[in-house]
Amino acid sequence: MKFSRPRGTNDLFGERMERWHDVEGRIVRLVRGYGYSEIRTPVFEMTDLFIRAVGKATDIVSKEMYTFSDKKGRSLTLRPENTASVMRAFLENGLHRKGGISRFYYMGPMFRYDRPQAGRYRQFHQVGAEAIGSSNPAVDAEIIDISLSIYSVCGFPPLDVRLNSVGCPVCRPAFKEILIRSLAGYGDELCQNCRERGMVNPLRIFDCKKCGEVKKKLPFITDHLCRECGEHFSRLQEILDGLGIRYTLDPLLVRGLDYYTKTAFEIIHPGLGAQNALSGGGRYDGLAEDCGGGHIPAVGFSAGMERLLETLPESFPGETGDGRVDVCIILIGDSGSMQALSLAGRLRESGLSVLTDLSGRSMKKKLGAASEAGAGFAVFLGPDELEREKATVKNMMTGSQEVLAFDGIGPFIERERDNRGE
Ligand code: HAM
């Protein structure tokens, strides 16, 4: 083979694709049930949007973006995440003028140039939801509830939510000063990366996998929240407690994007190893202003589809799961393709899924392929049958067969399936 897929990307097909559709379907039904409607934004945006929204000092912006110039020399970037794009679309389309809360969900590919490993890809997929226009902690609770529910509808056992508050522009600058002073005492124990970025964005140290020991000794932001952030955080916990949603407070959780204010959370899966976050989100009350809009508070989350699919429990209650067809039409001889296609069309109109095998290969191979496709029925079209507008229909389960007029095939299959209780 001359070509292989780019590093950190996946081909999706077969059973995995079927499961993917099934999971997506469940999630869409779930989020729609909370009143969220779909939004689709371009997979690339002006590079500045992500620099402004996600933050210059983050790994995503400083190391991981797929950035290119178009033919007019404009800098564009394949989206590394979708919250910035949703906010851009929300403002650009004047949706803020509507007032109230706007609720959106999305799904699609994201791109980050990171070192690929289990659960970490360069093209991955997220499904997410954003609620824009409210500062009420009840909406944070709604978002946390949805992000947990997408796993319960896929048969996961209860998962752990890590919860923190990362403050706001009122309390964070003062906390950063406290942190910088504290970090000065650990100079030698910090990794080079943290030593360098410590002065620009000291909170990033909480994200560092290498500086685990130092992190535990640093002051916690939750001990330095302003009154508003403190009250928001307490109220959110009261609501979660009232709803029976379990969570663990994690003062070291900061998330890898700079737009967060107040609430930050992640859902963790113990089986995922180093990349153990199934999903993450939080409040981003300053993002609309960073994007050139007014003060519009918002909160949201995104879940990684690959990580969800990779940890899907064995007990996943698959729906379409198997991708089977109902019927396989097998042509015998070399004429009659048109009639076979036309019969397939009629059967599909009656709601059946139909595969046609018009090839010249042996009957054994054709029957083998029909069973592999999971066909419950094989319909044989030979020269004699074609002349009489009839076909031989074989029930692949019982082996019984009948010669039927074209019009009778659909009802026959229905009756046979009813008898089997399908
Ligand atoms: P994030 O934590 O960067 O947040 O990504 C959310 C989820 O996407 C992660 O928990 C993980 O499951 C998945 N993910 C991220 N990077 C990769 C990767 N390289 N390979 C595979 N999966 C990955 C955000 O993107 C925010 N936009 C979430 C948000 C929405 N906050 C507010 N609204």
Side-chain angles (χ1 to χ4, degrees):
M1 229 333 256
K2 232 175 168 170
F3 301 105
S4 56
R5 59 178 194 269
R7 209 161 115 71
T9 64
N10 291 298
D11 298 315
L12 275 175
F13 53 88
E15 231 176 83
R16 191 159 173 231
M17 190 76 252
E18 292 302 322
R19 232 175 300 134
W20 188 292
H21 277 304
D22 192 345
V23 165
E24 252 181 17
R26 282 160 197 266
I27 296 174
V28 168
R29 281 195 294 281
L30 176 84
V31 291
R32 284 183 164 275
Y34 282 77
Y36 286 68
S37 65
E38 188 176 6
I39 184 164
R40 290 193 193 188
T41 57
V43 291
F44 59 86
E45 296 271 359
M46 318 258 279
T47 302
D48 275 347
L49 172 68
F50 299 117
I51 296 178
R52 287 298 297 272
V54 178
K56 228 180 182 151
T58 59
D59 282 352
I60 293 179
V61 169
S62 63
K63 300 186 207 155
E64 296 172 5
M65 295 211 297
Y66 279 92
T67 297
F68 57 97
S69 297
D70 71 4
K71 290 192 194 310
K72 289 254 167 76
R74 285 172 289 233
S75 180
L76 299 170
T77 292
L78 294 183
R79 61 181 183 194
E81 63 102 49
N82 208 28
T83 308
S85 307
V86 170
M87 184 53 86
R88 195 264 314 133
F90 175 78
L91 295 170
E92 188 174 347
N93 292 288
L95 302 176
H96 53 293
R97 288 196 281 273
K98 197 163 72 88
I101 308 181
S102 298
R103 291 177 163 89
F104 300 107
Y105 76 87
Y106 50 82
M107 41 187 52
M110 310 291 154
F111 307 85
R112 295 184 193 175
Y113 189 85
D114 202 348
R115 207 160 44 79
Q117 61 181 77
R120 188 161 75 195
Y121 308 100
R122 289 182 174 169
Q123 175 175 330
F124 59 97
H125 298 75
Q126 283 183 345
V127 35
E130 314 288 348
I132 306 178
S134 169
S135 57
N136 189 337
V139 186
D140 306 41
E142 174 177 289
I143 285 288
I144 293 173
D145 181 26
I146 297 175
S147 51
L148 274 170
S149 300
I150 68 171
Y151 300 102
S152 56
V153 295
C154 292
F156 281 76
L159 292 167
D160 191 17
V161 183
R162 301 277 163 86
L163 183 67
N164 195 19
S165 174
V166 293
C168 72
V170 173
C171 48
R172 207 157 36 202
F175 177 68
K176 278 186 183 172
E177 291 303 318
I178 295 169
L179 197 56
I180 288 172
R181 277 202 297 281
S182 173
L183 280 172
Y186 298 103
D188 297 344
E189 293 173 57
L190 295 174
C191 74
Q192 192 181 342
N193 206 1
C194 285
R195 274 202 297 272
E196 280 165 13
R197 63 188 176 183
M199 300 303 282
V200 190
N201 193 347
L203 279 164
R204 290 266 71 85
I205 188 184
F206 290 113
D207 239 3
C208 177
K209 299 259 183 295
K210 292 186 195 143
C211 296
E213 281 313 305
V214 181
K215 275 196 286 196
K216 288 187 212 152
K217 294 184 256 181
L218 296 172
F220 294 156
I221 186 154
T222 35
D223 294 329
H224 299 271
L225 295 176
C226 62
R227 205 167 128 204
E228 192 186 308
C229 288
E231 281 175 7
H232 185 97
F233 198 36
S234 309
R235 185 72 192 122
L236 170 60
Q237 290 174 58
E238 277 167 24
I239 298 170
L240 292 174
D241 292 341
L243 293 173
I245 295 176
R246 288 194 357 229
Y247 54 88
T248 309
L249 294 179
D250 181 355
L252 300 182
L253 180 77
V254 286
R255 314 262 307 116
L257 304 99
D258 278 353
Y259 50 60
Y260 290 111
T261 53
K262 300 191 171 106
T263 312
F265 70 93
E266 281 183 356
I267 295 181
I268 302 298
H269 193 288
L272 269 171
Q275 304 302 313
N276 63 359
L278 279 172
S279 63
R283 184 160 273 289
Y284 48 95
D285 291 346
L287 183 57
E289 270 166 315
D290 289 343
C291 293
H295 176 73
I296 306 171
V299 56
F301 84 99
S302 321
M305 279 296 284
E306 283 79 1
R307 291 185 194 177
L308 193 166
L309 267 289
E310 281 161 22
T311 51
L312 206 56
E314 296 251 315
S315 59
F316 176 62
E319 270 167 3
T320 55
D322 47 20
R324 287 186 315 166
V325 294
D326 299 315
V327 183
C328 182
I329 297 182
I330 295 176
L331 191 63
I332 307 165
D334 14 305
S335 61
S337 300
M338 200 278 286
Q339 288 98 321
L341 293 177
S342 150
L343 175 60
R346 277 156 72 175
L347 292 178
R348 286 188 196 111
E349 268 167 29
S350 69
L352 296 165
S353 57
V354 185
L355 177 74
T356 55
D357 191 337
L358 312 179
S359 71
R361 58 191 173 162
S362 72
M363 180 54 74
K364 193 169 159 211
K365 286 209 167 129
K366 288 185 183 190
L367 278 172
S371 322
E372 203 176 300
F377 297 86
V379 174
F380 301 100
L381 282 180
D384 290 352
E385 282 114 335
L386 278 169
E387 212 162 281
R388 291 183 289 145
E389 288 244 316
K390 289 194 167 181
T392 305
V393 182
K394 177 175 177 176
N395 183 328
M396 301 282 274
M397 281 274 278
T398 61
S400 67
Q401 47 186 62
E402 264 188 58
V403 179
L404 294 165
F406 283 1
D407 281 345
I409 297 175
F412 169 77
I413 290 176
E414 208 127 289
R415 271 198 312 278
E416 290 277 298
R417 286 175 17 148
D418 281 349
N419 289 344
R420 282 212 320 254
E422 274 184 29

